Amino acid sequence: KFQQYVNTSETQQTEQIEYIDMRKQRAPNTYDLPDIEGPGLYSKEAAPDSWPWVSAGQVADFPHNGGVAVKHGKEEVAVFHLPGQAEEDGRWLCVQNLCPHKQVRAISRGLVGVKPEGLITLADPVYKSIYDLRTGSGMSHANLNLSTFQVKVDEQGQVLVKLPPADQMADSFARQSQEAAEKKNFKPPPRGSHPDIQVPRAPKNGVNLEW
């Protein structure tokens, strides 16, 4: 049975497409969010002892050589299982699920690769931005980086991820996204905007025009 997240049957709206009614048809009001540049918010090496270990499901729930999304409050992380890795610290890896390139929640569906020297790479499935999966460092874009988190498996086969409190994590990522928007002076296009429809968008009698 399909689940949006490996650790819960809960769902969350992550489609990230705003729809509008235009000419009596439903159409996407498409635009790209700004890139989030700079170091990742969190590093597994700097995780404080006070952070809880959060259940991410059982080992059997994870595909080999791929990733799945794990829900943590309003936020998500991506956990990857690479059982063929010789080094133990490369068999389970966790990063944020939000790609800093245009802020697409798709990292868990990324393409994993291993270079001859052992470097584990991840390519964002939408825009193909490439990251070092161990460190979260951007490879195709040095200013785009992922947060990393510790992962372990207990004696019962439960996969655990060390994460900040859910509310704190959500606030931090929301603030980071807001700062990126302010830096680029980004504002989403108005609802109903369309280059082929030259109609004033001002409210009429207090009612917004919708197309």
Side-chain angles (χ1 to χ4, degrees):
K1 182 180 178 180
F2 172 80
Q3 288 189 186
Q4 186 177 7
Y5 302 103
V6 68
N7 63 326
T8 178
S9 59
E10 294 177 10
T11 59
Q12 187 164 245
Q13 174 55 268
T14 59
E15 188 176 31
Q16 296 180 285
I17 298 177
E18 180 185 74
Y19 289 97
I20 58 176
D21 292 323
M22 183 172 61
R23 293 177 175 174
K24 298 182 179 181
Q25 294 182 337
R26 194 168 187 247
N29 188 22
T30 56
Y31 53 89
D32 292 327
L33 293 172
D35 295 345
I36 296 178
E37 300 179 337
L41 278 181
Y42 300 105
S43 168
K44 58 187 177 184
E45 291 82 9
D49 293 338
S50 59
W51 282 7
W53 285 98
V54 177
S55 175
Q58 295 294 124
V59 170
D61 298 328
F62 290 79
H64 287 194
N65 303 313
V68 292
V70 173
K71 187 174 185 292
H72 182 52
K74 295 180 181 179
E75 279 303 323
E76 307 167 15
V77 295
V79 177
F80 294 84
H81 184 202
L82 310 174
Q85 288 297 303
E87 299 179 13
E88 187 174 352
D89 67 348
R91 294 174 194 158
W92 289 95
L93 297 167
C94 179
V95 296
Q96 66 188 65
N97 198 34
L98 181 71
C99 181
H101 185 41
K102 303 188 187 299
Q103 302 187 48
V104 179
R105 293 179 182 270
I107 289 295
S108 64
R109 301 193 295 274
L111 308 175
V112 178
V114 181
K115 291 185 175 294
E117 65 272 22
L119 181 69
I120 304 174
T121 63
L122 176 82
D124 157 32
V126 181
Y127 297 106
K128 302 302 184 287
S129 299
I130 301 175
Y131 304 91
D132 181 329
L133 193 52
R134 271 198 179 96
T135 66
S137 299
M139 299 178 64
S140 54
H141 304 282
N143 288 332
L144 305 180
N145 301 280
L146 301 172
S147 292
T148 60
F149 304 95
Q150 296 178 26
V151 191
K152 69 179 182 180
V153 179
D154 66 16
E155 296 179 352
Q156 288 72 45
Q158 182 178 208
V159 181
L160 301 167
V161 184
K162 195 168 192 177
L163 297 173
D167 289 345
Q168 175 190 322
M169 185 173 174
D171 290 344
S172 296
F173 277 114
R175 186 165 56 251
Q176 185 187 45
S177 179
Q178 182 62 35
E179 289 173 354
E182 292 173 354
K183 182 178 180 181
K184 301 290 178 64
N185 196 27
F186 169 81
K187 294 180 181 179
R191 287 180 56 79
S193 63
H194 194 283
D196 297 332
I197 304 176
Q198 302 301 320
V199 177
R201 297 296 167 189
K204 183 178 181 180
N205 298 325
V207 179
N208 288 322
L209 294 174
E210 292 289 351
W211 290 85

